Amino acid sequence: MREPSTMTMQPNMTKAGFGTPLSRVDGPAKVTGQAKYAAEFARADLLHGHVHTARIAKGKIKRIDTARALDVAGVVDVITHENRPHVTWLPIKMKDMTAPPVGSPFRALYGPDIIYSGQPIALVVAESEEIARYASSLLEVEYEWAEFRTDLNEAREDGFSPLIPRVGYHKPKSRGDGEGAFAASPVQVVGEYHLMPEHHNPMEMFASTVFWEEDGTITIYDKTQGVKNSHWYVCSALGFDRDKVRVLSPFVGGAFGSGLRPQYQLYLAGLAAKKLERSVRVVMTRQEMFGHGYRPECYQTVKLGAEEDGRLNAIVSSAVTATSSFEHYMETIVNWGALTYRCDNAKLDYEIAAIDTFTPCDMRAPGGATGMNLFEIAMDELAYACGIDPLELRLRNYAERQQIKDKPWTSRALRECYEQGARRFGWEKRSHEPRSMRDGRELIGWGMATGVWEAMMGPTSVRAVLSADGALKVGTATADMGPGTYTMMTQIAAATTGLPVEKITAELGDTELPFSPVEGGSWTAASTGSAVQKACESLLEELFDKARHLDGCPLSGAHHDDIDFADGRIVLKDNPAIGMRFDEILAAAGMDELEVKEMARPGVLNMMKKARNTHSAVFVEVRVDEEVGMARVTRIVDAVAAGRIINPKTARSQILGGCVFAIGMALTEETLADHRIGRFMNHNLAEYHVPVNADVPEIDVIFVEEHDTEVSPIGVKGVGEIGIVGTAAAIANALFHATGKRIRDLPITIDKLMT
């Protein structure tokens, strides 16, 4: 992060109001290598841990021989379940917005039981990572095998797990007579839609560096989306005193939800530091990144009943997703289509089936990216069953109220998304029949879909400190895993105070900063941004009160309505030449700094009375080589209604990222398991195909104007996840339009197109 600027105010300094496309304030630090990530903090006495993982999916460790590893020069210890230090019982309830699922959370090296393939069973600690890795290869482990099941299809046939909800999960609410209305409908669509497991694969692997001090205090640099979560976890699981642990995460190289829960490298690094009373770093390998949470596989059945003009009579939807054998992980799968479209009759059901893998976890737009994308393929099928344009079908079923809870929205500019997106894309030129558009040997397809996501906000505290030189710091414990949180905080502080960007420093990712929920759910801009604005407004109010009580102050007779804040000065609105600089006020008041702390909270009553969502309309063009089945996305137009857009530049980048995620979901990304050994096999970036530059087309993002004074104090909804919701479906629908082949199994790979 930049040091606070001490330069004098100049007219050409950067102004950044709401809606300004400000470049990232942390950009220079990232591109020059000054930004440090969790595995880049070092000290002379640092030890390195390498994880040894289980090769079976279920059973017990009968014997683990560490002798050969310990004989390697430079090896300090090999920690297993047999010699680990004492650990405490881990409470289930988390003191944050993100809680673990109901069940028994996994802890590495707790005992001899093996509950999934890839489970960490030993940590080799050495003077270098290379030595630790080599020594790990010398461990001899004898297993007792047990029967296991990693195939979701088999698991769901054997019966579902009991529906024990995760914290914050609500069972889908049905309405009317879904089955009866479906049976009576003249047009019926029935399909089972399938999504393969996906893994997050951020650029930065999970890493934790623990610095041990002689007095027993520890400082942890952790890859996490919430330092408060990591702090709570380490203290609860390993028995550290809360006031002796500090967790920092100044930069995060992507996470996409995988960092919402502490991962096992944090536990192992803390365990090793505690046992050895030394500083220790543990970094996962890319292969080990496939050994923790993932987007779960899903089978979703959708039955749509409609009149011949396409108006919905019935929505019947049920889903089953995977969870682990030890935790009940659940998402919101079947609600999305039923809340989006006008329909009096809906029957919704959702179950989970236990398999012997690690627990799935939140992955960009969890539940929505799965459930809405699969549902929108069914909506496209209904459009063809009725002989209606897919966009027209959605307009005919447009809902003015949220359908599941029968609430009005705080705002919903979805109709404008349809109109502006279709106009920009040129949708009116689309021919309806499949295989009717081509260019030489390539079939061309145009598809579209609706996106919907939650617009959430959580209680957040921010500290604002104005120093004697007129520089401002705003700080909270949230993270920045890539969306531009540093920039957002800086920009809101600048817009609120009138200070130029160069005079403002944003601080985050530190447990010594005020409370903030984990970064995720697209709620950070609304939550942290509202708290930044509130803290800055409170600071300005206190500063003005001090100014007008100073002897000889030109503002002494003024009231709040008479003044403005600009360029580090408090001035009279009707005569801006009259005023005082912020630093002059502090000096005259004999103060080195002025500090305030404020918390912003969502309006609970409003949350109960109205629905809060972001919406989008996505239009996609694909081309398919008819001879070899090679498909490519050639154009995307994504029209998004997300309330107030603070920074169009970084917001657009978030939508681009979501669309790229959707290309992977639709065409390339799937984690394949060999169910004979119970292990994910393509656990590397050579065989797990994340979209690369050549796969990403022109992506045109439209931010539809939407004013919302109720969704959050600053009118922001958040854009981190809406870009993926609906986009994968639009690609699948475009592929049907191009080829005439309706594929209900994502991703749609070449073999499926050629079959």
Side-chain angles (χ1 to χ4, degrees), residues 62-77:
K62 293 176 63 176
R63 181 183 65 89
I64 182 165
D65 189 340
T66 63
R68 292 176 63 205
L70 288 169
D71 284 342
V72 175
V75 171
V76 176
D77 200 358

Side-chain angles (χ1 to χ4, degrees), residues 122-291:
L123 182 72
V124 180
V125 185
E127 294 174 357
S128 74
E129 165 61 21
E130 292 76 13
I131 293 173
R133 184 185 289 244
Y134 169 68
S136 174
S137 69
L138 302 178
L139 294 179
E140 297 177 5
V141 184
E142 184 180 348
Y143 299 101
E144 178 182 310
W145 290 67
E147 289 189 14
F148 60 87
R149 181 172 56 191
T150 55
D151 189 333
L152 174 61
N153 200 35
E154 290 182 3
R156 65 176 182 145
E157 291 175 356
D158 290 348
F160 303 128
S161 300
L163 195 65
I164 302 176
R166 66 179 290 179
V167 176
Y169 176 80
H170 301 284
K171 188 171 182 176
K173 183 180 179 181
S174 299
R175 59 184 182 270
D177 180 7
E179 291 286 6
F182 174 79
S185 296
V187 181
Q188 299 177 351
V189 167
V190 181
E192 182 178 76
Y193 304 87
H194 177 227
L195 175 70
M196 286 290 286
E198 294 181 284
H199 275 80
H200 304 71
N201 278 303
M203 290 179 67
E204 181 195 14
M205 270 80 81
F206 276 99
S208 298
T209 302
V210 180
F211 288 166
W212 179 275
E213 308 299 340
E214 291 184 0
D215 62 357
T217 61
I218 59 173
T219 300
I220 303 174
Y221 294 93
D222 189 37
K223 177 193 170 80
T224 177
Q225 291 172 240
V227 290
K228 298 285 188 180
N229 268 9
S230 295
H231 181 270
W232 172 89
Y233 180 85
V234 167
C235 295
S236 298
L238 299 178
F240 287 110
D241 293 337
R242 294 181 63 83
D243 60 354
K244 289 192 173 184
V245 179
R246 181 184 182 188
V247 182
L248 299 103
S249 184
F251 294 97
V252 181
F256 315 116
S258 60
L260 291 173
R261 292 182 66 182
Q263 299 296 350
Y264 64 70
Q265 93 290 335
L266 172 63
Y267 179 89
L268 292 174
L271 191 73
K274 180 178 182 179
K275 184 176 191 290
L276 302 173
E277 297 188 354
R278 295 277 303 273
S279 298
V280 180
R281 172 185 296 152
V282 178
V283 183
M284 286 190 190
T285 64
R286 179 58 65 182
Q287 288 73 27
E288 288 163 0
M289 292 287 287
F290 287 79

Side-chain angles (χ1 to χ4, degrees), residues 508-528:
L508 52 76
D510 186 346
T511 48
E512 293 192 351
L513 291 169
F515 170 81
S516 172
V518 293
E519 182 172 67
S522 298
W523 62 59
T524 300
S527 307
T528 301

Side-chain angles (χ1 to χ4, degrees), residues 368-558:
T370 300
M372 191 63 178
N373 275 312
L374 298 181
F375 185 89
E376 283 294 285
I377 299 174
M379 284 293 287
D380 197 67
E381 292 196 42
L382 180 62
Y384 277 92
C386 295
I388 298 172
D389 179 85
L391 174 57
E392 177 60 28
L393 177 79
R394 287 160 175 82
L395 291 170
R396 290 184 187 183
N397 291 287
Y398 193 89
E400 300 296 344
R401 295 172 66 86
Q402 200 261 41
Q403 295 291 282
I404 289 183
K405 296 184 178 179
D406 191 28
K407 294 179 179 180
W409 276 282
T410 57
S411 61
R412 193 189 197 219
L414 177 58
R415 195 183 297 277
E416 291 78 5
C417 290
Y418 288 140
E419 293 171 356
Q420 294 182 33
R423 187 184 315 121
R424 183 76 62 86
F425 189 83
W427 185 258
E428 75 282 356
K429 299 175 183 177
R430 177 185 186 269
S431 62
H432 182 71
E433 291 303 315
R435 299 181 65 86
S436 58
M437 300 171 65
R438 77 165 54 234
D439 180 11
R441 60 187 279 176
E442 286 189 316
L443 298 169
I444 300 173
W446 287 6
M448 62 85 56
T450 303
V452 59
W453 184 244
E454 299 169 309
M456 297 177 283
M457 177 185 172
T460 304
S461 292
V462 164
R463 180 175 67 210
V465 181
L466 182 68
S467 61
D469 62 356
L472 175 67
K473 289 183 180 180
V474 288
T476 186
T478 190
D480 189 343
M481 60 173 171
T485 311
Y486 280 114
T487 308
M488 176 269 294
M489 292 173 63
T490 301
Q491 189 160 0
I492 291 176
T496 307
T497 63
L499 284 168
V501 168
E502 289 82 358
K503 297 289 284 185
I504 299 172
T505 301
E507 300 177 316
L508 52 76
D510 186 346
T511 48
E512 293 192 351
L513 291 169
F515 170 81
S516 172
V518 293
E519 182 172 67
S522 298
W523 62 59
T524 300
S527 307
T528 301
S530 295
V532 168
Q533 183 183 65
K534 188 174 182 180
C536 288
E537 288 174 344
S538 180
L539 184 141
L540 293 176
E541 185 174 341
E542 286 197 29
L543 188 67
F544 175 57
D545 285 341
K546 294 187 181 301
R548 64 180 179 172
H549 289 97
L550 294 173
D551 292 337
C553 175
L555 305 169
S556 58

Side-chain angles (χ1 to χ4, degrees), residues 64-146:
I64 182 165
D65 189 340
T66 63
R68 292 176 63 205
L70 288 169
D71 284 342
V72 175
V75 171
V76 176
D77 200 358
V78 178
I79 305 174
T80 70
H81 69 280
E82 297 175 336
N83 66 347
R84 62 162 173 79
H86 172 75
V87 294
T88 62
W89 173 249
L90 179 62
I92 292 177
K93 186 175 181 181
M94 269 189 134
K95 300 176 181 177
D96 205 337
M97 289 181 68
T98 301
V102 172
S104 179
F106 169 74
R107 280 178 294 171
L109 314 188
Y110 195 70
D113 292 336
I114 303 297
I115 54 178
Y116 72 96
S117 182
Q119 173 182 323
I121 59 173
L123 182 72
V124 180
V125 185
E127 294 174 357
S128 74
E129 165 61 21
E130 292 76 13
I131 293 173
R133 184 185 289 244
Y134 169 68
S136 174
S137 69
L138 302 178
L139 294 179
E140 297 177 5
V141 184
E142 184 180 348
Y143 299 101
E144 178 182 310
W145 290 67

